[in-house]
Amino acid sequence: MEPEKDEEAPKIGVYVCRCGGNISDVVDVERVAKTIAEMEGVAISKVHTFMCSDPGQSMIVEDIKKESLNRVVVASCSPFLHELTFRNAVQRGGLNPYLYDHVNIREQGSWAHKSDPEGATAKAIRLIAAGVEKVKHAEPLERIRLSNHQRALVLGGGAAGMKAALELARRGIPAVIIDKNAELGGHIKEWGKLFPTDEDGQTLAARLRSEVEAEKDIEVIAPAKVTKISGFVGNYDVAFERLGEGGKPGEEAKLTVGAIIVATGFEPYRPAEGEFGYRKTPRVMTMPEFIAWAGSQPNGRLTLDGREVRRVGFLHCVGSRQIEGVHKPQPDGRVNTYCSRVCCSTVLNQAVQVRKRFPSVSVLDFHQDIRSYGRGHEDYYIEASNRGVAFFRYHGDEPPEVATDAEGLVRLRMKDYLTWGEEIEASMDVLVLAVGMTPSPIGDLIDMLKLATGHDRFLQEVHPKLRPVESSVNGVFLAGTAQAPMTLEEALCSAGAAAAKAAALLGSEYVEVDPFVARVDEAKCTGCERCVEECAYSGAIVMVEKETEGGGKVKKAEVNAGLCAGCGACVAVCPTRAIDLRGWSLKEFDSMVDGLVSAAERLAAK
Amino acid sequence: MSKEWEPRIVAFFCNWCTYTAADLAGVSRLKYAPNVRVIRLMCSGRVDPQFILDALARGADGVLIGGCHPGDCHYVEGNYKALRRFRMLQRMLDQMGIERERVRLEWISAAEGEKVQRVINEMTEQVRALGPLNLPGKFEEWDKEMEALAARIAKEEAKRSEAEPAAEKKEA
Ligand SMILES: Cc1cc2nc3c(=O)[nH]c(=O)nc-3n(C[C@H](O)[C@H](O)[C@H](O)COP(=O)(O)OP(=O)(O)OC[C@H]3O[C@@H](n4cnc5c(N)ncnc54)[C@H](O)[C@@H]3O)c2cc1C
Ligand code: FES
């Protein structure tokens, strides 16, 4: 651990933001600033209407220079919004950007305590006091520089994976696609005419494939299976196996890349046996089964089992929007509460196609809601209505009951809320279950990459709004339906975004990462290895033998900054407090607690 | 204290789930008690019993820890680690005679703004019902007791040496 070189007394600038009234309508910001000004080490304490505005930021820059501030605290909105803004301002003022602390008095202050201005003001004072105490112990940190392999791996060559690879290659960044299937394209190949443009899925997939083949900077390895991934941002070592006939393992090989885009897509939901009559009769089929079957039939008449089909029903939301206590849980005990987003428009699309291709077949639609939300999707609803599709609406907690009748036809019973709860019963030749999406079974990849998943089992982004295509693992990005149910359009958008993020990372010969990683104070480390046991990232902490002054050997923990994710689990178990986290140190936390519970009381007592 | 006592609760919320949920609660304008003051950390797995005991020792009346739901931790299993340590801490609290209700661990995902509101309100009321913990005050009392004890021992020592000076001199 490098010794703190400047024992210089803190001169802290504190800035309290009114946020144009968002904060100051509730929190008495003037009183807050005055109270904080009394704290030891606080040189100036000011209020501004919009700290994030240019004048607000310039004020920080100028004050640092004029007043020779050496620490800065801004109390404003959530750190997710403007922590970086103010770090940059601090840097422009000539200070290290990590000599800064951000205090949230809006989302977790004025907005949450609107009817309690006194409480909100008291809380703001304490939170800022904690920030002031913390920043006193802040150290200048440098972002960590690591070498960078300027090449990306794209896992999965569906539409999203191919799009991501193409976008990378067009920016001059080589990409390797690994897919478990020999033919790239993913699921869109199976759907025939796609909403909302009526383009054929096969044709679209073929077009993407030929673009990929034409691109010299894209290498396709398929069919293949990734067997091991190690390393970190800029330096991922990937081992894979080419698959032979029938998925048999073949030749093994390795490659190194700087970033990974996960585009492993989805699998259609598979209903359990007996779920809405599935597998009890061939007349109940899933949407993919129906599309494949209907697509293979000539226009005009539709027959199944030698019998003319007169009526087709579509049941929405199978395997999606499930309700705890109503639907049977999945094998992992969860119910799929999410909306799969594509099923409604797919039903409408298929309903229209059935009415066009087989005019003698009537179509029934059983839904809880119709979410034809995208541009052009509503046109399918209008056309379906115009073409005589009959709509029925059930309540989510009263799913329809499905049985077969004496003739072998499918009979569906439900309460229809378009007719104020009337019990209806309909019989049909075919019932299509509009199944939703579930994530591809990629448990092995999730383990290898230490990816986070949401409650819905799809891969999870760092922040749904602010960092929507980044995983929590540095250098790993998410594209397409591996992350959540999406239409093709949305999947390609996300693929483009993931490629842009990866390209920005791979554009330079080195990568910079946040300096918030563990560090070891060798003098205190007793070599007990508890940190190594606690660490979830293999290789992030290792024990190394060191010579002692007397010539003996001792074991000390050493941190690999590239692999450390900065979670701090090791810090929590170190019996001698020898391991600590830069930027989130024990001292900083201790002083924050002090700021929260005692410093502010001392202030109040003054 | 002239003003009515208000519970002081320190919270440790993980950056990815619970802290974000607390932001969401604010954005959704859900109202809750201002007694809980949040310290953001990267992962609930960072919280060790000492953090909590420190907070109580410095004058907090309760401590709330918030992390991602099991399986959702951004560092894979930090929250399981937090849970394990929390169980250990509960036993320590029992031994120290501190009510278990003063320290609470909750899984709150980024989407559960309402849960932040509910948990904070519940916890505030619970701690209010328990009353002040006042560990610093207790420490002062203990310190006083220790001082008194030390004084008594010193007095007795002094008495003894008064009674035995002759013997000591003889030896010297
Ligand atoms: C019934 C149905 C109809 C639909 N109709 C439409 C429509 O009309 N219009 C529309 O816009 N959208 C439609 N969609 C949605 C559309 O299918 C998806 O948006 C699209 O397929 C997403 O592409 P993707 O690349 O994300 O995933 P996928 O298409 O699933 O591709 C994933 C790729 O990853 C590969 N892969 C998986 N696991 C691994 C692994 N472990 N290692 C290596 N490779 C792996 C797969 O082999 C595949 O090539 C429909 C969806 C369904 C279910
Ligand atoms: S990141 Fe939330 S508990 Fe680990």
Side-chain angles (χ1 to χ4, degrees), chain A residues 316-355:
Chain A
H316 288 238
C317 294
V318 175
S320 308
R321 297 182 67 194
Q322 294 179 323
I323 299 173
E324 205 127 11
V326 173
H327 294 88
K328 236 169 104 176
Q330 301 302 312
D332 67 356
R334 302 182 194 179
V335 295
N336 298 345
T337 53
Y338 57 88
C339 165
S340 287
R341 298 171 65 89
V342 297
C343 336
C344 282
S345 296
T346 300
V347 167
L348 298 171
N349 178 11
Q350 291 302 324
V352 168
Q353 288 189 45
V354 168
R355 293 291 298 138

Side-chain angles (χ1 to χ4, degrees), chain B residues 5-113:
Chain B
W5 170 76
E6 275 292 321
R8 282 182 290 182
I9 300 167
V10 174
F12 296 99
F13 283 177
C14 95
N15 187 53
W16 305 109
C17 292
T18 314
Y19 191 88
T20 311
D23 274 359
L24 175 65
V27 172
S28 322
R29 306 296 197 277
L30 301 176
K31 289 189 195 124
Y32 56 83
N35 302 60
V36 172
R37 282 97 205 228
V38 178
I39 293 181
R40 178 167 66 119
L41 25 74
M42 280 301 140
C43 175
S44 68
R46 173 72 194 267
V47 181
D48 68 304
Q50 193 165 346
F51 266 27
I52 298 163
L53 295 175
D54 264 6
L56 298 176
R58 287 206 156 96
D61 301 299
V63 174
L64 171 63
I65 308 149
C68 313
H69 283 270
D72 287 356
C73 169
H74 280 61
Y75 305 96
V76 190
E77 49 193 28
N79 46 11
Y80 292 111
K81 291 170 182 160
L83 178 64
R84 218 167 57 209
R85 293 189 199 117
F86 177 71
R87 297 267 179 261
M88 194 164 82
L89 176 87
Q90 284 185 320
R91 272 187 240 136
M92 287 158 76
L93 293 178
D94 292 347
Q95 280 172 358
M96 295 165 68
I98 297 174
E99 302 88 343
R100 281 192 173 200
E101 293 76 16
R102 290 192 187 272
V103 183
R104 183 161 169 175
L105 172 68
E106 285 287 346
W107 307 138
I108 305 179
S109 82
E112 295 177 314

Side-chain angles (χ1 to χ4, degrees), chain A residues 1-162:
Chain A
M1 189 162 61
E2 55 273 52
E4 279 176 48
K5 55 178 191 310
D6 52 321
E7 286 295 302
E8 190 187 10
K11 281 190 86 178
I12 307 169
V14 179
Y15 300 87
V16 184
C17 185
R18 291 194 184 94
C19 194
N22 269 300
I23 294 171
S24 54
D25 286 351
V26 181
V27 174
D28 182 347
V29 289
E30 314 290 339
R31 189 166 82 194
V32 170
K34 253 191 222 137
T35 313
I36 294 296
E38 299 286 313
M39 285 184 75
E40 208 184 305
V42 173
I44 46 178
S45 178
K46 294 184 175 173
V47 176
H48 193 276
T49 304
F50 285 111
M51 277 311 298
C52 61
S53 67
D54 282 344
Q57 293 190 45
S58 312
M59 181 163 79
I60 300 179
V61 175
E62 278 155 30
D63 284 352
I64 292 175
K65 293 179 180 157
K66 264 202 320 250
E67 312 279 335
S68 46
L69 300 178
N70 56 16
R71 300 278 192 280
V72 172
V73 172
V74 175
S76 57
C77 52
S78 168
F80 287 117
L81 295 173
H82 281 308
E83 186 174 51
L84 196 61
T85 311
F86 296 123
R87 275 203 208 292
N88 290 340
V90 166
Q91 189 163 29
R92 287 200 301 279
L95 271 186
N96 182 285
Y98 295 95
L99 298 175
Y100 170 74
D101 197 52
H102 192 99
V103 180
N104 178 351
I105 58 168
R106 190 180 76 173
E107 282 81 349
Q108 300 188 25
S110 59
W111 283 355
H113 315 302
K114 241 195 165 91
S115 49
D116 183 1
E118 191 51 45
T121 303
K123 180 173 172 181
I125 291 173
R126 280 157 184 78
L127 289 175
I128 300 171
V132 167
E133 292 299 333
K134 179 183 181 195
V135 86
K136 283 182 189 169
H137 298 284
E139 293 171 288
L141 299 173
E142 295 302 328
R143 287 171 71 78
I144 299 166
R145 273 193 177 197
L146 305 165
S147 69
N148 195 7
H149 281 81
Q150 293 172 276
R151 174 160 80 148
L153 168 65
V154 179
L155 282 170
M162 286 198 281

Side-chain angles (χ1 to χ4, degrees), chain A residues 99-395:
Chain A
L99 298 175
Y100 170 74
D101 197 52
H102 192 99
V103 180
N104 178 351
I105 58 168
R106 190 180 76 173
E107 282 81 349
Q108 300 188 25
S110 59
W111 283 355
H113 315 302
K114 241 195 165 91
S115 49
D116 183 1
E118 191 51 45
T121 303
K123 180 173 172 181
I125 291 173
R126 280 157 184 78
L127 289 175
I128 300 171
V132 167
E133 292 299 333
K134 179 183 181 195
V135 86
K136 283 182 189 169
H137 298 284
E139 293 171 288
L141 299 173
E142 295 302 328
R143 287 171 71 78
I144 299 166
R145 273 193 177 197
L146 305 165
S147 69
N148 195 7
H149 281 81
Q150 293 172 276
R151 174 160 80 148
L153 168 65
V154 179
L155 282 170
M162 286 198 281
K163 170 80 171 168
L166 283 168
E167 293 292 332
L168 282 165
R170 282 169 194 156
R171 287 175 172 85
I173 296 184
V176 181
I177 300 177
I178 293 187
D179 200 297
K180 63 177 181 184
N181 286 321
E183 193 185 47
L184 301 192
H187 283 294
I188 54 165
K189 293 184 300 220
E190 300 153 25
W191 309 147
K193 279 188 182 176
L194 301 174
F195 66 79
T197 52
D198 282 352
E199 273 164 298
D200 175 60
Q202 286 267 20
T203 318
L204 216 58
R207 197 162 106 199
L208 280 168
R209 252 191 331 261
S210 65
E211 285 177 35
V212 164
E213 278 158 20
E215 189 54 71
K216 63 175 188 344
D217 273 340
I218 301 179
E219 184 188 349
V220 177
I221 303 174
K225 183 180 154 70
V226 169
T227 51
K228 190 170 179 230
I229 301 177
S230 57
F232 41 86
V233 60
N235 304 269
Y236 282 107
D237 292 314
V238 181
F240 61 91
E241 224 169 52
R242 286 178 203 274
L243 302 176
E245 281 290 306
K248 280 204 203 77
E251 176 205 341
E252 280 193 34
K254 279 198 175 124
L255 64 113
T256 306
V257 294
I260 298 176
I261 295 181
V262 185
T264 48
F266 72 98
E267 282 302 324
Y269 173 75
R270 286 172 62 102
E273 189 175 327
E275 188 173 345
F276 300 112
Y278 189 61
R279 290 265 168 84
K280 295 281 183 204
T281 154
R283 294 182 177 277
V284 173
M285 49 180 95
T286 64
M287 180 64 87
E289 290 162 352
F290 173 77
I291 295 176
W293 168 67
S296 68
Q297 302 297 308
N299 285 356
R301 269 160 61 100
L302 194 56
T303 53
L304 181 64
D305 266 352
R307 203 147 102 180
E308 185 179 351
V309 172
R310 293 212 199 80
R311 223 182 217 181
V312 173
F314 289 95
L315 177 58
H316 288 238
C317 294
V318 175
S320 308
R321 297 182 67 194
Q322 294 179 323
I323 299 173
E324 205 127 11
V326 173
H327 294 88
K328 236 169 104 176
Q330 301 302 312
D332 67 356
R334 302 182 194 179
V335 295
N336 298 345
T337 53
Y338 57 88
C339 165
S340 287
R341 298 171 65 89
V342 297
C343 336
C344 282
S345 296
T346 300
V347 167
L348 298 171
N349 178 11
Q350 291 302 324
V352 168
Q353 288 189 45
V354 168
R355 293 291 298 138
K356 277 191 190 162
R357 294 182 56 210
F358 314 106
S360 62
V361 177
S362 63
V363 174
L364 310 178
D365 175 296
F366 309 102
H367 62 269
Q368 30 179 338
D369 295 298
I370 292 190
R371 297 181 167 177
S372 52
Y373 63 94
R375 173 187 279 171
H377 296 202
E378 189 70 1
D379 297 346
Y380 288 85
Y381 177 67
I382 295 167
E383 183 162 5
S385 308
N386 290 345
R387 286 182 183 271
V389 172
F391 291 93
F392 301 91
R393 183 176 196 185
Y394 64 90
H395 262 188

